[in-house]
Amino acid sequence: MVGAGQLARMTHQAAIPLGQTLRILAESARDGAALVAADVVIGTHTSYEDLLAFAAGCDVVTFDHEHVPTDFIRSLASAGHAVYPGADALVHAQDKAVLREALAKAGIPGPAWSGVSTGEDVVAFGAEHGWPVVLKVARGGYDGRGVWFLSESAAASHVLDPDRPYIVEQRVPILRELAVLVARSPYGQVSVWPVVQTVQRDGICVEVIAPAPHLSEELAGVAANLAVRLAGELAVVGVLAVELFETADGLLVNELAMRPHNSGHWTIEGARTSQFEQHLRAVLDYPLGATTMTAPWVVMVNLLGGPAGGMGIDERVHHAMAQWPDVKLHLYGKSPRPGRKLGHVTALGSDFAEVRARAAAAAQYLHQGGHP
């Protein structure tokens, strides 16, 4: 797995019972996955020489992020390495303009959009579709980075970098954000988890609720079928996360991720097969596992880096475990800084309100301290 963040760390855990050893390409021995994996290669995804040396002897190469240059992925495949997802699929998660063009060609609904390079382009789009608009860097943005909500034309000129490509989208009125995960193998087998609701704050996912509350069976079916269709048409191998907007008129596709995804962390305890195990099964072309839920309700809350001071994290973990022994805690081995994803907690049960309250309380205590 290229990349050594929390996704690689949790994929390493899933590889162990499958009898697999996960080799990690890490930029630093202090990266989260590098701290726990046995087979770590230090290098960078921006060096083809590092990638080629890393791939030697691997059965399959996969990714915990979308930042590997597309040409490098094609070159690895041409050199005889099995790389999943392939470059032709992954580019749709790497480049938002390529994704929007593909969705429009396939007739899949999404917000009105346009590629832009100047402030005048943004002004023209806003005049046609109304303000505010959403400006996004086409490549490289994540977790709210590279996304700007512009309420007036003058703001665009302060954001645009002439050396980077951008798209602008209509800011559509949404009821909430949803996500659906699907896994697909080279053989063509697919499996889908229940549709979830994601809660965002400052562009970062803070909570995931499975299944999405009050979502009709009809709309859940539409979302699942959409994910399966995208996985097939784009020839995805591995896990595909489809981020959706629920609107008064139906579902719109927001973005894609072709790897394990934050919206699927709940599956570690909450599904018969986690997204991390399923990703490995898919890229290895194993039969896929069952995705049924292990409880009626599962709520995952991200642990974000908070203000300095307060109780030490070790002491907070001790008290949190004592107060909420049924809430599962996952820490990523990261150094803390404000807003950084340091871990997550997951609660399960049959009473939605109670499950959500337990997950929120445990996360709040771990974030700020105080009395559990």
Side-chain angles (χ1 to χ4, degrees):
M1 182 167 268
V2 176
Q6 64 263 26
L7 300 180
R9 184 181 175 107
M10 288 182 276
T11 304
H12 162 70
Q13 292 175 280
I16 294 170
L18 295 180
Q20 299 295 327
T21 299
L22 192 71
R23 177 179 294 173
I24 303 293
L25 181 65
E27 293 191 354
S28 167
R30 297 184 300 275
D31 290 345
L35 295 173
V36 296
D39 192 353
V40 178
V41 176
I42 302 300
T44 175
H45 63 274
T46 58
S47 165
Y48 180 66
E49 289 72 21
D50 286 354
L51 288 167
L52 193 61
F54 169 75
C58 290
D59 297 293
V60 177
V61 176
T62 189
F63 313 96
D64 91 333
H65 58 71
E66 290 95 356
H67 306 313
V68 179
T70 309
D71 290 345
F72 288 179
I73 299 173
R74 289 199 174 94
S75 296
L76 284 175
S78 297
H81 297 287
V83 185
Y84 294 129
D88 290 341
L90 191 60
V91 69
H92 296 88
Q94 294 176 318
D95 192 310
K96 295 178 178 62
V98 172
L99 170 63
R100 287 291 175 220
E101 289 171 357
L103 294 177
K105 184 177 180 180
I108 295 174
W113 75 284
S114 176
V116 294
S117 57
T118 67
E120 290 75 14
D121 294 337
V122 178
V123 170
F125 182 89
E128 180 180 357
H129 296 281
W131 298 89
V133 299
V134 184
L135 181 68
K136 297 180 178 180
V137 62
R139 280 180 171 260
Y142 67 99
D143 278 351
R145 299 173 180 87
V147 178
W148 299 269
F149 297 96
L150 306 181
S151 58
E152 57 183 18
S153 57
S157 59
H158 299 292
V159 172
L160 291 165
D161 179 342
D163 296 325
R164 302 189 75 179
Y166 295 84
I167 67 169
V168 63
E169 297 177 351
Q170 181 183 23
R171 189 173 185 182
V172 296
I174 66 172
L175 303 176
R176 57 178 169 174
E177 296 193 41
L178 304 172
V180 57
L181 266 67
V182 59
R184 182 178 179 272
S185 71
Y187 181 76
Q189 185 185 7
V190 295
S191 63
V192 187
W193 286 267
V195 181
V196 302
Q197 178 178 338
T198 63
V199 180
Q200 317 290 324
R201 185 183 305 132
D202 298 327
I204 300 176
C205 179
V206 295
E207 181 187 39
V208 176
I209 304 166
H214 311 298
L215 184 67
S216 69
E217 290 187 15
E218 179 183 4
L219 206 56
V222 170
N225 288 330
L226 184 60
V228 170
R229 178 185 169 191
L230 282 168
E233 291 190 2
L234 301 181
V236 176
V237 173
V239 166
L240 167 68
V242 182
E243 299 179 42
L244 300 164
F245 293 145
E246 182 183 359
T247 75
D249 298 321
L251 300 177
L252 302 176
V253 173
N254 179 22
E255 294 183 357
L256 303 182
M258 295 182 189
R259 51 170 170 76
H261 189 254
N262 197 185
S263 66
H265 291 353
W266 67 272
T267 61
I268 298 174
E269 289 85 23
R272 295 296 179 188
T273 307
S274 77
Q275 65 165 344
F276 301 100
E277 178 183 341
Q278 200 81 305
H279 185 74
L280 290 172
R281 286 183 179 229
V283 301
L284 292 166
D285 209 8
Y286 288 179
L288 301 182
T291 55
T292 51
M293 294 182 62
T294 58
W297 293 102
V298 184
V299 176
M300 186 281 298
V301 179
N302 280 320
L303 302 174
L304 305 179
M311 297 171 61
I313 186 63
D314 291 340
E315 190 172 354
R316 290 186 198 171
V317 167
H318 179 89
H319 288 292
M321 287 180 171
Q323 182 69 22
W324 298 281
D326 60 324
V327 172
K328 301 299 290 185
L329 171 63
H330 297 263
L331 295 176
Y332 303 154
K334 291 181 173 181
S335 57
R337 65 170 181 258
R340 192 182 196 189
K341 291 178 183 174
L342 305 179
H344 71 267
V345 298
T346 305
L348 301 84
S350 56
D351 185 311
F352 168 55
E354 192 269 338
V355 169
R356 192 179 195 187
R358 278 191 292 119
Q364 178 73 7
Y365 172 72
L366 287 162
H367 179 68
Q368 291 187 339
H371 295 286

